[in-house]
Amino acid sequence: MTTTMAAVQVQTSRALLPATAGRGGAASSTLPAAAVGAAAPAALEPKEQPQQQQARPAPTPRPNPFMEPGLQQQVAASQQAQAWVGDMDQQLQRLKTSLAASLASGSTDADGAAAAALQQARTVWGQRSERAAGRIDGQLRLPERGSGARQDFTLRGLDLAALGQEGPETLSFAAPGSPAAINVAIDPDQTAEANAQRLDQALAPAGLRVSVAAGRLQWSTEESRWPALRDGLTVKGEGKRFPSGQRVRVRLDAQPDAVDPKAWRLDGAQARRQTLAQVIDAQRQLRDAGQALQRNSTPVPEPTGTAGQGQVLLTAAEDFRALAAQPVYETFAELAPALRRIGREQVRALLSR
């Protein structure tokens, strides 16, 4: 009885299989495992994928002058120096006004105001090295890029006349901070310029520069090195220009500053007139230095004329187009906020200028 019922169930299931498949067009969950396994490869066969778009090469980055190493520090130092120049110019203007009033009236109050203004000008000038951030020296000159303000000086015993006398001699210089002595051969048969160039090339690694300027042998070093050099430079010769044997400390004389408020006097009308003339000249030199600093603090000059502006806009557009063409999510994430509020009319108005 049991065997007969089982046979009936098997036959019934065989009879239902085609009908079940026909109704759904696909095997249902009642299909045997073998049938499911046979249908799986066809169902899971991957569809033809669309051809991937080749990523465009990233545009060659244009050199950005504002990213030059150390440029931001140089610009900041130039701006700091401009602030000092502006302060010093105000003090000179105040002193000039006070001197003019003193000379015109001769009153005690006017003389007192001139004295106070002179003292303040001396104070601000004395702050130059610290407040100007090494961007302007005592001669109101700007240093070369990458170096600080310099101190000019002369070396006693070695001037233009000494270079052409006493015969050939090898001088040995020992500068503070230099790992070894530096030997330089002086040849009086050569020109003063040639000997100065030989000194300059040999001593440059020690921070010393030598040149012929204004009819004299001019030495210079960075202001930060000046105190140590002034107190510690030694020279040994061969008994002609400098003694042989033991090294001797040489005397260095600093060149006076282009502006020297400490030398200005107010005792008497004649002294005040002379000081007034010096103040006017100092103000002219100071403003020239301020203009040079202003040019130095703007590393990329703005283009002038329609052609220059058009070239800048064209370059910016090319860079933008190349950047936007990159199929990179990060790129669109950066561009989308910038473009969100830019409308067609704004673009037309910009291009029509």
Side-chain angles (χ1 to χ4, degrees), residues 126-337:
Q127 298 169 347
R128 177 192 55 79
S129 297
E130 178 183 355
R131 292 181 54 188
R135 296 302 301 161
I136 186 169
D137 64 16
Q139 306 303 314
L140 294 178
R141 300 171 308 192
L142 275 62
E144 297 178 359
R145 176 169 293 186
S147 62
R150 302 190 69 81
Q151 173 65 58
D152 293 346
F153 63 93
T154 56
L155 192 156
R156 293 192 184 182
L158 193 58
D159 53 16
L160 288 181
L163 290 178
Q165 300 172 356
E166 306 296 339
E169 182 179 23
T170 298
L171 303 178
S172 178
F173 294 83
S178 230
I182 301 173
N183 298 327
V184 185
I186 302 299
D187 185 359
D189 293 334
Q190 298 288 329
T191 63
E193 287 76 10
N195 280 305
Q197 185 177 9
R198 188 176 301 175
L199 285 165
D200 182 68
Q201 292 176 348
L203 296 172
L208 288 167
R209 304 309 302 262
V210 187
S211 62
V212 176
R216 63 180 177 182
L217 191 64
Q218 185 69 58
W219 301 68
S220 72
T221 188
E222 288 195 10
E223 284 185 347
S224 58
R225 298 183 179 184
W226 166 245
L229 186 73
R230 176 192 58 203
D231 300 332
L233 180 64
T234 60
V235 179
K236 181 177 69 173
E238 296 174 343
K240 297 176 182 177
R241 297 169 183 81
F242 292 94
S244 59
Q246 289 288 93
R247 297 182 179 277
V248 296
R249 188 171 71 86
V250 291
R251 179 74 177 270
L252 308 181
D253 298 319
Q255 181 176 342
D257 290 346
V259 176
D260 188 10
K262 291 183 178 180
W264 297 345
R265 296 289 180 265
L266 301 177
D267 48 344
Q270 183 61 33
R272 289 196 294 274
R273 290 190 186 93
Q274 184 176 357
T275 297
L276 179 58
Q278 292 172 326
V279 169
I280 294 173
D281 183 63
Q283 202 168 29
R284 176 188 57 79
Q285 296 183 64
L286 192 69
R287 290 176 178 177
D288 289 344
Q291 292 176 1
L293 283 169
Q294 178 65 34
R295 291 191 298 269
N296 239 30
S297 64
T298 308
V300 180
E302 296 183 359
T304 57
T306 305
Q309 294 177 0
Q311 182 60 41
V312 170
L313 292 175
L314 180 60
T315 301
E318 291 176 352
D319 289 345
F320 186 86
R321 187 187 306 116
L323 181 63
Q326 300 181 50
V328 181
Y329 173 77
E330 289 77 5
T331 300
F332 291 103
E334 292 181 2
L335 294 179

